[in-house]
Amino acid sequence: MTEANGVLVTAGCAGMKNYYFISANEGVDLTKMKPSFSISDKAKIYVNGVEYKGDPLDCTKIIDISVVSESGNAHTNYKLVAQNGDPTLDY
């Protein structure tokens, strides 16, 4: 994950039943985060109902993420919750 200004952020992540909890270093601006996702080439990601194009996200709120297959017939929903903290300790 990076901040909008391109700074690589150390983040710990834990997942639980389609919820992902991220802890970024103290002082990281969570209002301008740029997560990277690994999905198949023709699948699409939607963030809060809008197709994600790589713009910075405000991670101070719970984010709804949907991954939709090329055909649109298959999709998986996730929730992303972020906070500042110590990534090595929080999760």
Side-chain angles (χ1 to χ4, degrees), residues 1 12 16 41 47 56 64 81 88:
M1 186 172 293
M16 182 180 75
D41 290 340
V47 173
D64 293 311
V81 180
T88 60

Side-chain angles (χ1 to χ4, degrees), residues 3-4 28-34 56-60 84:
E3 285 185 89
V28 169
D29 185 356
L30 296 177
T31 65
K32 298 176 183 171
M33 301 299 293
K34 292 183 75 174
L57 301 176
D58 180 354
C59 292
T60 61
N84 290 110

Side-chain angles (χ1 to χ4, degrees), residues 34-64:
K34 292 183 75 174
S36 59
F37 300 99
S38 296
I39 59 171
S40 64
D41 290 340
K42 296 185 180 181
K44 293 183 179 179
I45 293 180
Y46 293 84
V47 173
N48 297 328
V50 178
E51 187 174 355
Y52 182 65
K53 301 288 187 180
D55 295 329
L57 301 176
D58 180 354
C59 292
T60 61
K61 303 174 183 117
I62 296 173
I63 296 176
D64 293 311

